[in-house]
Amino acid sequence: MLVAVVKEAREDETRVALTPDAVRALTEKGFEVAVESSAGLQSGASDADYQAAGASISNRRAELLASAEVVPVVNALPAEDQEKLKSGSVMIGFLRPLEDPASLAVAVKRGVTLFSMELVPRITRAQAMDALSSMATVAGYKAVIVAANHLPKLFPMLMTAAGTIPPAKVLVLGAGVAGLQAIATARRLGAVVEAYDVRAAAGEQVKSLGAKFIEVDLGGLQTEDKGGYAKELSPEALELGRQAIAKAAKTTDVIITTAQVPGRRAPLMIPAAAVEGMRPGSIIFDLAAPAGGNCEVTKPGETIVYHGVTIFGPTNIVAEVPVHASMLYSRNLLNFLQLILKKGELNIDRSDEIIAGSCVAFGGEIVNERAAAVAARQG
Ligand code: NAD
């Protein structure tokens, strides 16, 4: 029963799927773990650390993939790697099954069982496997740190003999996991923080962190689905939010935007005109850039200046914090692996709610309905 960890293929990826701690937990249970040489280097884990945790180190990537029963990854393996996987083996990671199911086609065809960490249901039993929340926590923190570093101002209020410096004003759009972490981080740095979310429940959480919640009267509209996620809004409801945001933006130094609706393009919350109304030197940090962005002028993967406002559109911000992003992700993965690795064997109980919810492909077919529908649409 071999678990293989290979170097991530994506150029901007610095994380590793399993850290030495997780490897040790597996080897102590009798699983064999092999790690591609230098897979953990950028996350602070050397080959020697993996060896000390009981793994073997190899330079033969193709051989590792061909002999593994389980391949935990951060991002889906590229097609040429998927070609090597055994039928019946497992690939698990952030596989983007709703955004790009075509990139999994080779593995599906080869009969590889695919599990997507994005699809792990957010039920209490799965909290320790919630990799989306782990990454959102890291992203929310880092966004504020990068923005504070680039802002031509200080964050805290300072009273000095030369006069008083007012605190920076931060606006957070979307108060989910990333947004709440951004609020907490900006507050710790001394900023005055406002936040907006369509989910009424977010208001209490925002206020408990010492930030002001921007109330928008949506006329009792149902904004939340039964999973606690935001629903896609009507154009009218979206417009009401945009008006409140444009007004607040005029006096805001930093906007951190995190609003997402699972499986959809991110909602447009900051039109170009609202950016034009902001003061020069202000910053927009668009954490929704991977899903198209919440700001109309965001360019995913780039940092641009528009009317004197700097707009960050990072597509992999967590890769800038690889040590802790990998540590959290690896723990989430390990907790999931414990569900499918029993008594030294791969044991996939598809009646388990977590396994059923996160399984994308099994036995040569896409078994997740939403992913299958996207795959059919994309042809
Ligand atoms: P997300 O990344 O999908 O979205 C970020 C935020 O954007 C959400 O708060 C959402 O309401 C908001 N949003 C979407 N469209 C918007 C719009 N047009 N205008 C303003 N805001 C908009 O969300 P997430 O951070 O993954 O969390 C979603 C929910 O799930 C939250 O309630 C969170 O507390 C909950 N959650 C539950 C668990 C659990 O284990 N039970 C774990 C994590 C998160």
Side-chain angles (χ1 to χ4, degrees):
M1 235 314 309
L2 177 70
V3 178
V5 179
V6 294
K7 270 193 271 189
E8 288 294 312
R10 192 172 146 171
E11 234 174 46
D12 67 349
E13 193 53 78
T14 56
R15 289 168 291 173
V16 65
L18 293 184
T19 59
D21 277 352
V23 167
R24 182 173 294 108
L26 291 171
T27 56
E28 279 176 356
K29 285 206 165 105
F31 294 104
E32 195 189 335
V33 182
V35 178
E36 186 177 10
S37 181
S38 76
L41 273 190
Q42 295 189 84
S43 305
S46 66
D47 288 353
D49 293 332
Y50 281 110
Q51 275 168 323
S56 60
I57 301 294
S58 164
N59 272 319
R60 300 198 188 96
R61 181 182 180 95
E63 225 169 76
L64 280 183
L65 294 172
S67 48
E69 268 78 29
V70 179
V71 184
V73 293
V74 180
N75 307 287
L77 292 171
E80 65 268 25
D81 283 338
Q82 292 177 26
E83 292 281 1
K84 315 277 178 340
L85 296 174
K86 284 201 283 209
S87 167
S89 66
V90 167
M91 172 165 74
I92 172 167
F94 287 123
L95 304 187
R96 306 182 70 242
L98 303 182
E99 291 83 5
D100 191 12
S103 67
L104 304 171
V106 173
V108 174
K109 203 165 145 216
R110 292 185 66 75
V112 177
T113 304
L114 301 179
F115 290 108
S116 152
M117 290 303 276
E118 298 96 320
L119 297 182
V120 169
R122 280 176 154 177
I123 56 173
T124 308
R125 187 165 60 92
Q127 265 179 2
M129 306 166 204
D130 185 353
L132 281 184
S133 287
S134 296
M135 297 305 106
T137 300
V138 174
Y141 165 86
K142 189 67 177 178
V144 172
I145 300 299
V146 175
N149 191 33
H150 277 79
L151 189 72
K153 289 185 172 182
L154 301 174
F155 258 41
M157 182 175 93
L158 292 182
M159 285 157 125
T160 79
T164 299
I165 293 178
K169 228 178 125 188
V170 174
L171 172 62
V172 176
L173 303 180
V177 182
L180 292 173
Q181 185 57 234
I183 294 170
T185 305
R187 292 280 300 138
R188 282 199 288 267
L189 289 177
V192 168
V193 185
E194 285 185 320
Y196 172 64
D197 197 295
V198 279
R199 292 180 301 107
E204 285 313 308
Q205 293 168 321
V206 165
K207 288 180 208 159
S208 74
L209 291 171
K212 185 182 154 205
F213 189 62
I214 297 179
E215 309 272 355
V216 176
D217 184 2
L218 298 177
L221 188 77
Q222 179 63 37
T223 55
E224 194 168 327
D225 69 13
K226 54 182 188 324
Y229 282 109
K231 282 187 170 174
E232 197 169 31
L233 295 188
S234 66
E236 296 76 26
L238 267 176
E239 185 51 32
L240 287 174
R242 280 198 285 263
Q243 284 168 10
I245 291 160
K247 189 163 161 239
K250 286 186 184 148
T251 55
T252 294
D253 297 303
V254 173
I255 303 183
I256 309 279
T257 147
T258 74
Q260 304 216 34
V261 178
R264 307 258 175 215
R265 191 209 179 279
L268 178 60
M269 302 174 78
I270 314 173
V275 184
E276 289 161 22
M278 292 175 74
R279 284 192 296 239
S282 307
I283 287 175
I284 296 175
F285 204 99
D286 196 340
L287 281 176
N294 292 138
C295 173
E296 190 179 358
V297 291
T298 296
K299 289 216 159 49
E302 292 181 34
T303 300
I304 60 157
V305 178
Y306 178 80
H307 279 253
V309 178
T310 305
I311 298 138
F312 291 81
T315 46
N316 197 6
I317 180 81
V318 287
E320 291 180 32
V321 196
V323 171
H324 283 144
S326 299
M327 187 193 95
L328 295 174
Y329 180 60
S330 167
R331 285 187 187 164
N332 295 141
L333 267 184
L334 179 65
N335 290 327
F336 187 98
L337 290 177
Q338 278 161 356
L339 271 187
I340 60 168
L341 297 176
K342 300 249 168 81
K343 296 190 190 131
E345 308 247 324
L346 196 52
N347 185 337
I348 299 174
D349 172 7
R350 290 183 62 212
S351 66
D352 180 294
E353 187 181 358
I354 300 172
I355 291 178
S358 56
C359 188
V360 177
F362 190 86
E365 280 178 37
I366 298 188
V367 293
N368 178 279
E369 275 176 27
R370 286 189 295 161
V374 180
R377 253 202 324 274
Q378 292 179 348

